[in-house]
Short mmCIF file of all heavy atoms in Angstrom, two decimals:
data_model
loop_
_atom_site.label_atom_id
_atom_site.label_comp_id
_atom_site.label_asym_id
_atom_site.label_seq_id
_atom_site.Cartn_x
_atom_site.Cartn_y
_atom_site.Cartn_z
N ALA A 75 19.54 77.84 -44.34
CA ALA A 75 18.96 78.97 -43.60
C ALA A 75 20.14 79.82 -43.11
O ALA A 75 20.93 79.49 -42.30
CB ALA A 75 18.17 78.49 -42.38
N TYR A 76 20.23 81.02 -43.63
CA TYR A 76 21.32 81.90 -43.28
C TYR A 76 20.85 83.39 -43.43
O TYR A 76 19.83 83.63 -43.99
CB TYR A 76 22.56 81.69 -44.10
CG TYR A 76 22.43 81.87 -45.59
CD1 TYR A 76 22.57 83.07 -46.17
CD2 TYR A 76 22.02 80.80 -46.33
CE1 TYR A 76 22.42 83.28 -47.58
CE2 TYR A 76 21.79 80.99 -47.70
CZ TYR A 76 22.05 82.19 -48.33
OH TYR A 76 21.89 82.34 -49.68
N ARG A 77 21.56 84.31 -42.75
CA ARG A 77 21.21 85.68 -42.86
C ARG A 77 22.17 86.43 -43.87
O ARG A 77 23.29 85.94 -44.08
CB ARG A 77 21.44 86.29 -41.49
CG ARG A 77 20.31 85.82 -40.47
CD ARG A 77 20.45 86.49 -39.16
NE ARG A 77 21.71 86.24 -38.52
CZ ARG A 77 21.91 85.40 -37.58
NH1 ARG A 77 20.96 84.67 -37.08
NH2 ARG A 77 23.12 85.26 -37.00
N PRO A 78 21.79 87.53 -44.40
CA PRO A 78 22.63 88.29 -45.30
C PRO A 78 23.94 88.61 -44.62
O PRO A 78 23.99 89.07 -43.45
CB PRO A 78 21.82 89.54 -45.65
CG PRO A 78 20.37 89.13 -45.39
CD PRO A 78 20.41 88.15 -44.33
N GLY A 79 24.97 88.42 -45.32
CA GLY A 79 26.34 88.71 -44.79
C GLY A 79 26.94 87.56 -44.10
O GLY A 79 28.14 87.67 -43.72
N GLN A 80 26.21 86.51 -43.85
CA GLN A 80 26.78 85.31 -43.17
C GLN A 80 27.82 84.60 -44.02
O GLN A 80 27.63 84.59 -45.21
CB GLN A 80 25.67 84.36 -42.67
CG GLN A 80 26.12 83.23 -41.87
CD GLN A 80 24.97 82.41 -41.31
OE1 GLN A 80 23.88 82.83 -41.41
NE2 GLN A 80 25.28 81.31 -40.77
N TYR A 81 28.79 84.06 -43.43
CA TYR A 81 29.85 83.35 -44.21
C TYR A 81 29.87 81.86 -43.86
O TYR A 81 29.39 81.49 -42.79
CB TYR A 81 31.20 83.96 -44.05
CG TYR A 81 31.76 84.00 -42.59
CD1 TYR A 81 32.58 82.97 -42.16
CD2 TYR A 81 31.38 85.02 -41.77
CE1 TYR A 81 32.99 82.89 -40.89
CE2 TYR A 81 31.88 85.01 -40.44
CZ TYR A 81 32.72 83.96 -40.00
OH TYR A 81 33.11 84.01 -38.80
N PHE A 82 30.46 81.09 -44.72
CA PHE A 82 30.59 79.66 -44.55
C PHE A 82 32.03 79.32 -44.76
O PHE A 82 32.67 79.76 -45.61
CB PHE A 82 29.68 78.91 -45.53
CG PHE A 82 28.22 79.09 -45.33
CD1 PHE A 82 27.62 80.20 -45.90
CD2 PHE A 82 27.54 78.17 -44.66
CE1 PHE A 82 26.23 80.44 -45.73
CE2 PHE A 82 26.11 78.37 -44.48
CZ PHE A 82 25.48 79.55 -44.99
N PHE A 83 32.55 78.33 -43.96
CA PHE A 83 33.84 77.78 -44.24
C PHE A 83 33.75 76.77 -45.23
O PHE A 83 32.96 75.72 -45.13
CB PHE A 83 34.48 77.25 -42.94
CG PHE A 83 35.00 78.35 -41.99
CD1 PHE A 83 34.24 78.86 -40.99
CD2 PHE A 83 36.29 78.86 -42.22
CE1 PHE A 83 34.68 79.85 -40.14
CE2 PHE A 83 36.75 79.89 -41.46
CZ PHE A 83 36.04 80.33 -40.38
N VAL A 84 34.52 76.91 -46.30
CA VAL A 84 34.56 75.94 -47.41
C VAL A 84 35.83 75.25 -47.56
O VAL A 84 36.90 75.85 -47.41
CB VAL A 84 34.24 76.75 -48.76
CG1 VAL A 84 34.21 75.75 -49.95
CG2 VAL A 84 32.90 77.43 -48.63
N ASN A 85 35.75 73.89 -47.78
CA ASN A 85 36.94 73.10 -47.96
C ASN A 85 36.79 72.45 -49.31
O ASN A 85 35.74 71.89 -49.66
CB ASN A 85 37.07 72.07 -46.88
CG ASN A 85 38.14 71.07 -47.16
OD1 ASN A 85 37.88 69.88 -47.56
ND2 ASN A 85 39.35 71.45 -46.88
N VAL A 86 37.89 72.47 -50.12
CA VAL A 86 37.92 71.82 -51.41
C VAL A 86 39.00 70.75 -51.28
O VAL A 86 40.22 71.05 -51.31
CB VAL A 86 38.31 72.77 -52.55
CG1 VAL A 86 38.31 72.05 -53.87
CG2 VAL A 86 37.20 73.91 -52.57
N PRO A 87 38.57 69.44 -51.04
CA PRO A 87 39.58 68.37 -50.79
C PRO A 87 40.55 68.21 -51.93
O PRO A 87 41.69 67.80 -51.65
CB PRO A 87 38.69 67.17 -50.63
CG PRO A 87 37.35 67.66 -50.22
CD PRO A 87 37.26 68.94 -50.91
N SER A 88 40.21 68.51 -53.16
CA SER A 88 41.16 68.34 -54.24
C SER A 88 42.27 69.37 -54.20
O SER A 88 43.35 69.12 -54.73
CB SER A 88 40.43 68.37 -55.63
OG SER A 88 39.89 69.67 -55.78
N VAL A 89 42.05 70.44 -53.50
CA VAL A 89 43.09 71.55 -53.29
C VAL A 89 43.88 71.21 -52.06
O VAL A 89 45.08 71.13 -52.08
CB VAL A 89 42.43 72.90 -53.28
CG1 VAL A 89 43.52 73.97 -52.96
CG2 VAL A 89 41.79 73.24 -54.55
N SER A 90 43.15 71.02 -50.92
CA SER A 90 43.81 70.77 -49.62
C SER A 90 42.70 70.24 -48.70
O SER A 90 41.69 70.86 -48.51
CB SER A 90 44.46 71.94 -49.09
OG SER A 90 44.93 71.68 -47.78
#
Side-chain angles (χ1 to χ4, degrees):
Y76 58 92
R77 293 184 297 258
Q80 187 173 348
Y81 61 92
F82 294 83
F83 281 97
V84 177
N85 172 259
V86 181
S88 62
V89 176
S90 172

